[in-house]
Each structure stands twice: as structure tokens, then as C-alpha cells.
Amino acid sequence: MALPKSMRYLAGATFCIFIYLFVQILRAPASESEIKVPSKTPESGYNSKDRDPQLDPSGEPPGPLRRVEGDNYAPNDPASARINATILSLVRNEEADDMVQSMRDLERTWNHKFNYPWTFFNDKPFTEEFKEKTRAATKAEVRYELVPAEHWDIPSWINMDLYNESVSLLLEQKVQYVERQSYHQMCRWNSGMFSEHPALKDMQYYWRVEPNVHFFCDVDYDVFAWMQDHNKTYGFNINLFDSPQSVATLWPETKKFVEDNPSYVHPNNAQEWLEDGKRRPENHQIAHGYSTCHFWSNFEIGDLSFWRSKTYREYFTHLDRAGGFFYERWGDAPVHSVALGLFEDKTKIHWFRDIGYQHIPFFNCPNNPKCSGCVAGKFSDGAKWLEREDCRPLWFKYVGMD
């Protein structure tokens, strides 16, 4: 007995749906783990794996990458492919051996290929011994520069009685290095004076390297050229919380400056990163609204144009006049970080995940076969509480990883 026409139509439609679903199943991934889900959505931010540096697959940044081809980066070649950039360090004569340690690591992993010049700064003249040791550590040009007294000396508007009283109070709060006058001077110089040194007038980019740091990974592309080609302003490696007591009034003074200059704040800023204190280590407080998250500036690769801009020069002058470099212990790391977080497009700030690095007691150790000498994923050297100082998860949450 023949089926009614309506039943035949229904059977045909059912069969077609079955075939369609069968084909979709064959085309779909075999398991959920094979599905590539975007790591960032406007609603959720980065997922937990992306926020964990130990689980992040570390590799080179997106291209194009400029590499050595023949002798295009040969030392002392004025027609080389090098751009206007230098490796720089503020260093004392007695730190010569520690400086050579850092030079050997960076030369071995990167600069022996590209031969960018080294520029050393000191508030005292460099000794012949320092020059001899550092010149022997590189084939590149080495420059030795004196910091002008007007860039280094304590400004005339600082009340020394108030300074001494403030130091005593901060010592009671166990703020590190606060008793060292030269430390305050160093922080101020690195915050706003270094970019004004005449020796850097023709330079656009710099890589700051300090004595007694370590580099672990072979990097075979021109890092400075990558910054230029991708319009990046700043590159960091480690991102930490700071001591709230050392920057107690930095955020209030910043807010005063912003209230007077609202147009200076970039519309695509990282203010949420600067204000989110939820991940603060136990028993630490935020500093009057500032999370204290900052780029650890003993490693920084930057565009000097930002520090020379009208916005930053006015901001630094405002902070300098407020006196916090001496009455508190404002470091160049939080000052640079707050400025970048408010006044720059956050997409122009890059995490160099592929550059293995250590400045005691913290590490950036990529999971990368080009790295040796450190444990992949290791962040700190010692006590467990140091692990809680990592502020990178908040950066990934609000900005991501490019």
C-alpha cells in the first residue's frame, strides 16, 4: 500500500536532515580540545591558561622580522642595517664585573649578531679599568658618558629637613633602599632625565640593561627594528606589584595632573590595569587607588620619543615639583608605568615573552628550545610569597598578549 504523498514528503525531508547532520559531524573536530576558541572576548577577557605565563607558548613576536643577512649588521659599518638605537646602562665603576656579566649574556644571545652600540652613564668619570673590561666584552662601539650635575643633584626645591624626616618614617615602614640618597637620585634620573642626555639626541630606541642580570634565550631578529616596524612604544619583560608605601602619593598627584590636562589621557589606555587591586598580595594595600602594578624597568626597550613628548615632559615636571622622588621613594618603574598606562595606546606596549631574563629574584623563562639556563615557567627565586608579586595576569586580562 502506497504511503500518502504528505508522508513521503516528510520522510524525504527527514532523510535530508539526517544526511546534513552526518556530514557536519564528519567535518567537525573529533574532540573539544581540537577546537580553536579565541583566547580573548570582550566579555570575558583572557582565559586562565592565557593569563598564566607558565602555560603560555613563548615564541617570536609576529613578523616581519629583520635578521642578519651576510654582513648587513657588521660592526663599525656606517651603512649597516642598524637603526638609531643603543643599549644603555647607568652603572658605577665598582660594578664593572657585574656589568661585564650582563654584557656577555646579551652579546652571546643577541648582540653579537647585530652589534648595536653600548652607552654607559655614570655620575662619576669612568675609570680606565671599567673601560678596558667593558670594551673587551663586545665587538660593538662602546660610549662612556658623564651625567651632568644638573641632571643628578637634588633639586633646589627639595626641603632636606623634610627629606630626612621622610626617610626616617619610611625606614620604620621597611621601605627598601630609602636611606640611600643616590637611590633617590637614580630613580629620578631614570624617570625623566636620561632621555634628555645629549649623548642620546640622535637615538630613537634604547634597551636598558643593568649590572648582574642574565639573558637565557637565543634571539635572532633585530629587536629595535621590530619595535620600529610595528610602531611599538615600549617593551617589557616582567610586571610586578610595588610597595604601596614607596608610592603613597603618586596616584593622587597623577590625578591632579590629569584633572588639569584631561586631553592627555589616551582613549585606548590601560587605566583598569593601574587601578585593579584585587590581586594584590596578602596584607598589601593599594596606594590611594593605584594597584601598584608596574613594568620592572631594569628591563625595558623603549622609544625615546615618548619620554621626550610634551605630555610626558609636563607630567614628569609635575611629579618632580611634588617631591615624591625624595620625600617618598617613587621609582622610575611605577612612574614610567603610570605614564604609559594613561598617556599611550596600550596596544603599543609589548611583552617580550621570548626574551629569557633574570634580575634577582625574578625570572621570565619561556618554554622555548632556544632557551637554556633557566627552568621554563619559573617566575621567582625563593620564597613562595614572591610568586604573588606577579602582575602580568592583570595585564593580560585588560590588554592581552600581542
Side-chain angles (χ1 to χ4, degrees):
M1 179 178 175
L3 291 171
K5 184 181 292 185
S6 60
M7 293 292 289
R8 292 200 300 272
Y9 287 154
L10 180 60
T14 301
F15 180 74
C16 290
I17 292 171
F18 173 78
I19 294 297
Y20 173 79
L21 291 174
F22 181 73
V23 170
Q24 295 306 309
I25 290 171
L26 290 178
R27 293 174 60 187
S31 68
E32 185 180 351
S33 64
E34 296 176 75
I35 301 173
K36 293 187 179 296
V37 180
S39 56
K40 184 179 182 183
T41 65
E43 297 80 14
S44 63
Y46 275 72
N47 61 43
S48 60
K49 287 187 177 182
D50 283 336
R51 292 201 303 268
D52 187 341
Q54 296 189 33
L55 299 177
D56 174 58
S58 296
E60 293 176 344
L65 302 172
R66 297 195 218 174
R67 292 188 163 95
V68 174
E69 296 178 5
D71 60 356
N72 63 331
Y73 283 95
N76 304 315
D77 180 2
S80 78
R82 284 184 292 277
I83 64 173
N84 291 333
T86 189
I87 307 164
L88 64 80
S89 182
L90 177 66
V91 58
R92 296 171 294 189
N93 285 308
E94 57 268 32
E95 296 174 304
D97 291 339
D98 286 342
M99 193 69 243
V100 168
Q101 144 63 42
S102 301
M103 292 181 72
R104 285 174 177 164
D105 265 18
L106 190 58
E107 288 288 331
R108 173 179 51 82
T109 56
W110 182 71
N111 200 46
H112 79 277
K113 311 176 190 78
F114 299 97
N115 295 295
Y116 274 97
W118 289 81
T119 304
F120 295 115
F121 296 96
N122 193 347
D123 65 306
K124 303 287 192 300
F126 282 106
T127 64
E128 289 306 313
E129 179 185 9
F130 183 96
K131 293 178 181 179
E132 181 180 344
K133 287 182 175 181
T134 50
R135 283 191 183 118
T138 179
K139 303 189 302 293
E141 180 185 358
V142 186
R143 304 163 182 172
Y144 304 93
E145 304 293 342
L146 186 66
V147 176
E150 61 270 23
H151 285 185
W152 188 258
D153 291 347
I154 296 178
S156 60
W157 58 84
I158 297 299
N159 182 316
M160 293 307 295
D161 290 335
L162 179 56
Y163 164 73
N164 291 322
E165 183 180 345
S166 300
V167 166
S168 297
L169 291 172
L170 291 171
L171 277 172
E172 292 176 6
Q173 298 176 50
K174 299 181 180 179
V175 175
Q176 281 187 313
Y177 313 127
V178 71
E179 74 280 11
R180 302 181 190 174
Q181 181 177 304
S182 62
Y183 194 89
H184 294 265
Q185 293 170 288
M186 175 195 71
C187 290
R188 177 177 179 262
W189 188 82
N190 279 324
S191 292
M193 308 309 297
F194 86 101
S195 59
E196 307 307 294
H197 197 287
L200 299 178
K201 66 181 178 61
D202 296 324
M203 293 295 170
Q204 183 178 0
Y205 296 96
Y206 69 97
W207 184 335
R208 178 172 159 185
V209 175
E210 297 210 346
N212 197 29
V213 300
H214 293 271
F215 295 92
F216 302 107
C217 305
D218 183 52
V219 178
D220 64 359
Y221 62 94
D222 185 336
V223 171
F224 292 127
W226 186 86
M227 294 280 290
Q228 183 181 70
D229 292 342
H230 294 82
N231 194 25
K232 298 295 182 181
T233 297
Y234 191 82
F236 73 95
N237 193 277
I238 293 171
N239 189 329
L240 300 172
F241 291 102
D242 205 351
S243 161
Q245 294 84 1
S246 69
V247 289
T249 63
L250 176 60
W251 195 244
E253 285 297 336
T254 298
K255 289 173 70 175
K256 289 180 188 177
F257 178 79
V258 168
E259 287 171 5
D260 292 338
N261 303 277
S263 63
Y264 288 178
V265 177
H266 197 283
N268 192 34
N269 62 63
Q271 185 168 342
E272 292 174 306
W273 168 68
L274 294 172
E275 292 185 317
D276 189 337
K278 294 177 182 178
R279 288 181 58 93
R280 285 289 314 172
E282 189 177 356
N283 299 325
H284 282 209
Q285 302 295 319
I286 61 175
H288 295 288
Y290 172 34
S291 68
T292 76
C293 281
H294 65 281
F295 308 119
W296 217 25
S297 58
N298 46 68
F299 175 112
E300 61 180 13
I301 300 171
D303 184 343
L304 287 160
S305 301
F306 181 81
W307 311 125
R308 294 166 177 158
S309 68
K310 179 176 183 290
T311 296
Y312 187 76
R313 297 318 306 168
E314 290 185 11
Y315 176 61
F316 172 74
T317 298
H318 175 90
L319 296 183
D320 202 19
R321 286 288 176 173
F325 292 109
F326 296 94
Y327 301 142
E328 295 179 7
R329 199 216 62 191
W330 294 354
D332 52 278
V335 169
H336 278 186
S337 301
V338 169
L340 288 160
L342 291 177
F343 309 133
E344 183 54 288
D345 182 340
K346 62 189 178 185
T347 65
K348 292 187 176 183
I349 301 171
H350 176 70
W351 176 39
F352 278 100
R353 70 184 81 176
D354 58 319
I355 300 180
Y357 175 73
Q358 180 201 22
H359 184 293
I360 296 171
F362 296 107
F363 291 80
N364 180 67
C365 287
N367 183 13
N368 190 322
K370 293 183 177 181
C371 304
S372 61
C374 70
V375 179
K378 184 175 183 178
F379 176 70
S380 67
D381 200 4
K384 288 186 178 180
W385 67 268
L386 291 171
E387 298 290 329
R388 299 195 296 271
E389 297 294 328
D390 189 3
C391 198
R392 286 177 296 185
L394 280 181
W395 180 258
F396 303 149
K397 174 183 177 181
Y398 293 116
V399 181
M401 296 181 289
D402 58 359

